[in-house]
Amino acid sequence: MSDQIKSIVEKLNKEPFKKNYNLITFDSLESMQLLQLLNDVLGEIDPKHVVDIREEMPEQTAKRMLSLLGILKYKPPGSITDLSTFRQGLVIGSKPVIHPVLHWLLQRTNELKKRAYLARFLIKLEVPAEFLQDDTVADTNKQYEDLMEAFKNLHKECEQLKTSGFSTAEIRRDIAAMEEEKDQLIKRVERLKKRVETVQNHQRMLEIARQLRVEKEREESLAQQKQEQKNQLFHAEQRLQRVQLQLKDMQHAVVDSKPESLMKRLEEEIKFNLYLSSEKFPRELESKKQSLYFLQKVVSEPAMGQSDLSELETKINEVNAQINQLIEKRMMKYEPIDSKFSMYRQQASIISRKKEAKAEELQAAKEEMSNMERQMLQKANQARELDGTEVLKGDEFKRYVNKLRSKNTFYKKKRQEIAEITAEYGILQRTEELLKQRHEAIQQQLQAIEDKKGISGYSYTQEELERVSAAKSEMDEMKGRTLDNMSEMVKKLNAMVADKKSSLAPIIKELRQLRQNCQELTQECDEKKVQYDSCAAGLESNRSTLEQEVKGLREECIQEESCYHHTNCMKKNLEIQLQRAKDEMKTYVSPDPQNRRKAIREQYTRMILEQENLGKKLREKQKAVRESHGPNMKQAKMWRDFEQLMECKRECFLKQQNQTSVGQVIQEGGEDRLVL
């Protein structure tokens, strides 16, 4: 124990902790200080854990530390019962628990840093199977797994490069030599640019070439966007077809179905899926893993010759012989017991094989049914595009025809009833008119008779008196019945009240006790409610702190991911540049003259020689021009003098022609005057 504390103190006094502890000061640390020290060590391994434990709850601190220790694969000493004590000791900061953890962490800090870094990217997020049924979630999960595998490969390559033994001094020398060559090439390119500037319209040609390059890049980007949009459209159409198939299946399942049949079908599907997920798929996965393990083992071993193979075959035969002997001994030893269960074992194995075969047949039938439904949906879409309406199937068409027939019979029946009612209405209307006419005629006859007798209005007065007397008698009878009913009702109500009082007496006694219990429970409920409110407020505050922590961790994760992608891109660019430099060095150092001619240095050397030869030819031409410059200038001057002389002659000739023409005109004018 003392050696352990010594090693802990030595590690803590070194970089990067620099605690300046001794054995006495370290041993006198309190529980909170020990927990903070452990948290500092964990923060050095994983920067996400650099927090002050006084600002968070003890349960949160223990949960965070336990999760990181689980990622770092720390195994506390002891059995399962000691694990609970380990958790309790970690919460309270117990020295027998903290000291071994510190010793284990400080002994392998670099290794644990690497493990914590890899855990951020390699701890797989488990997605429930029901969520993976969604295509978008499944595609995202597949992309997430592919990125994880790519990260594994890149990390392996990075580790191999670190341990490959490349000398940094050699790489620096190569980089310095390449920079010198780069400077020389830049100078030569500048000289070539100066020479090219003498060419006519070189700026316009450069601008046209630049525009051509920009248009080509734009064309490539547009083609890529077009292809991406085509892929998105194809995926969307496939998703739409799948959803339509699911909708059709649900509609067919709902039509003419009962809850019992639906439950039975769902139970069968659940049983089948449980069999696939719990028996078939795990067994297949285990067999695949085992075969993969054997294949990896074979690949990792060195190549074997014929002698090694023959030796392995002999070993296999020997092991098989030993297995057969052991089986025979076991059969001889346990023959009475096995004889009882052999038949059942054979039956169970036969049933399990039949079950597997039927499950495979059912799965193949389901796949075939899904393919046929997809083809049917495509045909229905084609028919809808041609006709514009959806084609009814056999059962739907029969139901549609039966529905039309029932509606037709119902319509005929109602139409016949309406005709009968209309005829009867006409007859009753005619009867009413006839009775009204007869009543009016009788009234007129009665009024005429009363006028003759001198008692006009007698019949009307008699009818009114009879009606009033009848109403009065009805009111009297109604009052008598009402009084009798009220007296009977009062007697019944009194009897009912007495019965209810006698029957409610014990209930009232129980009700008093229940009221007391209710008051006690109400008080207890109020107390519990106060406790609940306080607990809910605490949990709400914890939830808000956890949400803030999660938000901060997510932002940090996003920043780290962006830094990782930026570093990855820079690494790829440097690898490409390094590969180009290596290829250039290989081609330049290659003994093959054809490969050497492909090197950039050789190409620029040839271009420089061609330009130098061109410069020599131009200088020779300039020399020849300078030598013939004097005679050519004299000849040009003589030619200009000759041109001036010829121009003077032409002007003199034109002047002479003008003078002769004017003289002729004057002479002709004089002759005309003489004639007049």
Side-chain angles (χ1 to χ4, degrees), residues 669-676:
E671 289 177 357
D672 292 336
R673 288 194 191 97
L674 291 173
V675 173
L676 292 170

Side-chain angles (χ1 to χ4, degrees), residues 147 558 560-571:
L147 289 173
I558 292 168
E560 294 295 333
E561 285 181 357
S562 63
C563 292
Y564 165 71
H565 291 304
H566 178 69
T567 307
N568 195 8
C569 293
M570 295 294 292
K571 178 176 173 290

Side-chain angles (χ1 to χ4, degrees), residues 94-299:
S94 177
K95 291 181 181 180
V97 174
I98 302 295
H99 287 174
V101 177
L102 284 173
H103 183 263
W104 186 80
L105 293 174
L106 294 171
Q107 290 296 325
R108 46 183 68 83
T109 306
N110 295 325
E111 179 185 352
L112 296 177
K113 281 183 180 179
K114 181 179 177 182
R115 187 175 295 173
Y117 168 75
L118 293 176
R120 293 170 55 193
F121 304 100
L122 297 182
I123 293 178
K124 188 175 180 182
L125 181 64
E126 296 295 334
V127 182
E130 57 267 17
F131 293 159
L132 291 175
Q133 299 298 324
D134 191 1
D135 297 329
T136 305
V137 178
D139 295 337
T140 307
N141 189 36
K142 182 67 170 58
Q143 186 179 3
Y144 167 68
E145 292 176 354
D146 294 338
L147 289 173
M148 189 179 290
E149 293 296 326
F151 175 76
K152 289 180 182 179
N153 297 328
L154 288 173
H155 182 71
K156 288 180 182 177
E157 292 178 1
C158 182
E159 293 296 324
Q160 289 176 1
L161 288 173
K162 287 181 180 178
T163 58
S164 59
F166 282 114
S167 176
T168 56
E170 293 179 359
I171 294 172
R172 288 176 181 172
R173 284 197 297 271
D174 294 337
I175 291 171
M178 291 173 68
E179 287 180 352
E180 291 178 359
E181 290 182 0
K182 179 183 176 183
D183 295 335
Q184 294 176 2
L185 290 173
I186 289 171
K187 292 178 182 179
R188 290 179 183 177
V189 169
E190 291 293 333
R191 289 199 296 270
L192 290 174
K193 282 184 178 180
K194 290 179 181 178
R195 292 177 184 177
V196 171
E197 285 177 357
T198 58
V199 180
Q200 294 180 356
N201 298 328
H202 69 281
Q203 291 292 339
R204 185 169 176 274
M205 292 180 181
L206 289 173
E207 187 65 28
I208 292 170
R210 194 178 295 110
Q211 290 179 1
L212 179 62
R213 186 177 64 254
V214 171
E215 291 297 328
K216 284 185 178 179
E217 291 177 356
R218 184 182 175 189
E219 183 181 0
E220 290 177 357
S221 65
L222 289 174
Q224 187 176 2
Q225 290 178 4
K226 183 180 179 182
Q227 186 64 32
E228 289 178 356
Q229 290 178 358
K230 283 184 178 178
N231 293 331
Q232 291 176 0
L233 180 62
F234 178 70
H235 291 310
E237 288 178 352
Q238 285 187 343
R239 196 177 297 113
L240 178 62
Q241 289 180 358
R242 285 195 294 270
V243 172
Q244 287 178 352
L245 281 173
Q246 291 177 1
L247 180 61
K248 287 284 186 182
D249 293 337
M250 296 298 291
Q251 289 177 354
H252 287 305
V254 170
V255 172
D256 294 335
S257 61
K258 297 180 180 179
E260 292 81 5
S261 60
L262 288 174
M263 290 297 295
K264 187 176 181 181
R265 193 181 307 157
L266 288 173
E267 287 177 356
E268 291 176 356
E269 290 181 359
I270 290 168
K271 288 180 181 179
F272 178 69
N273 292 328
L274 283 174
Y275 168 72
L276 291 178
S277 61
S278 61
E279 296 184 11
K280 185 179 179 183
F281 289 159
R283 190 164 53 250
E284 292 180 355
L285 181 63
E286 189 65 29
S287 63
K288 296 291 183 183
K289 285 182 178 178
Q290 192 173 4
S291 61
L292 179 63
Y293 170 72
F294 287 127
L295 290 173
Q296 289 178 350
K297 190 175 180 181
V298 170
V299 169

Side-chain angles (χ1 to χ4, degrees), residues 299-557:
V299 169
S300 62
E301 291 180 356
M304 293 186 294
Q306 189 65 32
S307 60
D308 297 331
L309 292 174
S310 61
E311 185 177 355
L312 285 174
E313 287 180 355
T314 54
K315 287 182 180 180
I316 289 168
N317 293 328
E318 290 176 358
V319 171
N320 288 329
Q322 292 177 3
I323 289 169
N324 292 327
Q325 291 177 1
L326 292 173
I327 290 170
E328 289 177 357
K329 288 180 180 179
R330 183 176 176 277
M331 290 176 67
M332 291 173 65
K333 188 175 181 180
Y334 299 103
E335 186 175 1
I337 300 172
D338 290 339
S339 61
K340 295 179 181 178
F341 298 104
S342 60
M343 180 176 66
Y344 298 107
R345 288 175 183 172
Q346 290 177 0
Q347 290 179 357
S349 62
I350 291 168
I351 290 169
S352 63
R353 286 195 294 271
K354 286 183 178 180
K355 190 176 181 181
E356 291 177 358
K358 293 298 180 183
E360 291 176 356
E361 290 177 1
L362 180 59
Q363 194 170 2
K366 284 187 176 180
E367 292 177 356
E368 186 178 0
M369 185 177 69
S370 63
N371 293 327
M372 297 300 293
E373 287 177 351
R374 196 177 298 111
Q375 293 178 5
M376 181 182 68
L377 183 60
Q378 291 177 359
K379 297 295 184 182
N381 292 330
Q382 293 176 1
R384 194 183 299 111
E385 290 175 358
L386 292 173
D387 193 9
T389 57
E390 189 174 359
V391 180
L392 295 176
K393 298 180 182 179
D395 296 335
E396 294 179 355
F397 185 73
K398 288 180 181 179
R399 285 194 293 271
Y400 180 69
V401 171
N402 293 328
K403 190 175 180 181
L404 285 178
R405 288 176 180 172
S406 61
K407 285 185 177 180
N408 191 12
T409 54
F410 183 74
Y411 169 73
K412 290 180 179 178
K413 184 178 179 182
K414 293 297 179 183
R415 189 174 179 182
Q416 186 176 1
E417 290 179 358
I418 289 169
E420 292 176 355
I421 291 169
T422 306
E424 188 175 356
Y425 174 72
I427 293 168
L428 292 173
Q429 192 174 8
R430 179 61 178 167
T431 305
E432 184 182 5
E433 290 177 357
L434 293 174
L435 290 173
K436 283 181 179 180
Q437 291 176 2
R438 290 179 64 184
H439 178 68
E440 289 177 357
I442 292 169
Q443 286 290 334
Q444 290 176 1
Q445 291 177 5
L446 181 61
Q447 191 174 4
I449 292 168
E450 287 177 353
D451 291 336
K452 286 181 180 180
K453 299 294 184 179
I455 51 172
S456 60
Y458 175 77
S459 60
Y460 177 73
T461 306
Q462 186 68 26
E463 289 177 359
E464 288 293 327
L465 289 172
E466 289 178 357
R467 187 164 56 252
V468 169
S469 62
K472 184 177 180 299
S473 62
E474 288 178 359
M475 289 296 291
D476 293 337
E477 290 178 359
M478 189 180 295
K479 286 179 181 179
R481 287 197 301 270
T482 304
L483 291 172
D484 295 337
N485 291 331
M486 288 176 69
S487 61
E488 291 178 359
M489 189 178 294
V490 168
K491 291 179 181 179
K492 288 180 181 179
L493 288 173
N494 291 326
M496 288 173 67
V497 167
D499 294 336
K500 291 293 182 182
K501 282 182 179 179
S502 60
S503 61
L504 287 174
I507 297 173
I508 290 169
K509 291 181 181 179
E510 293 178 0
L511 182 61
R512 289 173 184 172
Q513 295 178 357
L514 291 174
R515 281 178 180 174
Q516 292 177 358
N517 294 331
C518 178
Q519 290 177 358
E520 294 175 358
L521 291 174
T522 305
Q523 292 177 358
E524 187 177 357
C525 177
D526 294 335
E527 293 175 357
K528 296 293 183 180
K529 189 175 181 181
V530 172
Q531 294 178 2
Y532 169 75
D533 292 336
S534 61
C535 183
L539 292 174
E540 184 67 24
S541 62
N542 292 334
R543 186 181 66 83
S544 61
T545 54
L546 286 174
E547 286 179 353
Q548 292 177 359
E549 184 179 357
V550 168
K551 187 177 180 181
L553 292 174
R554 284 180 178 173
E555 292 177 355
E556 185 180 355
C557 180

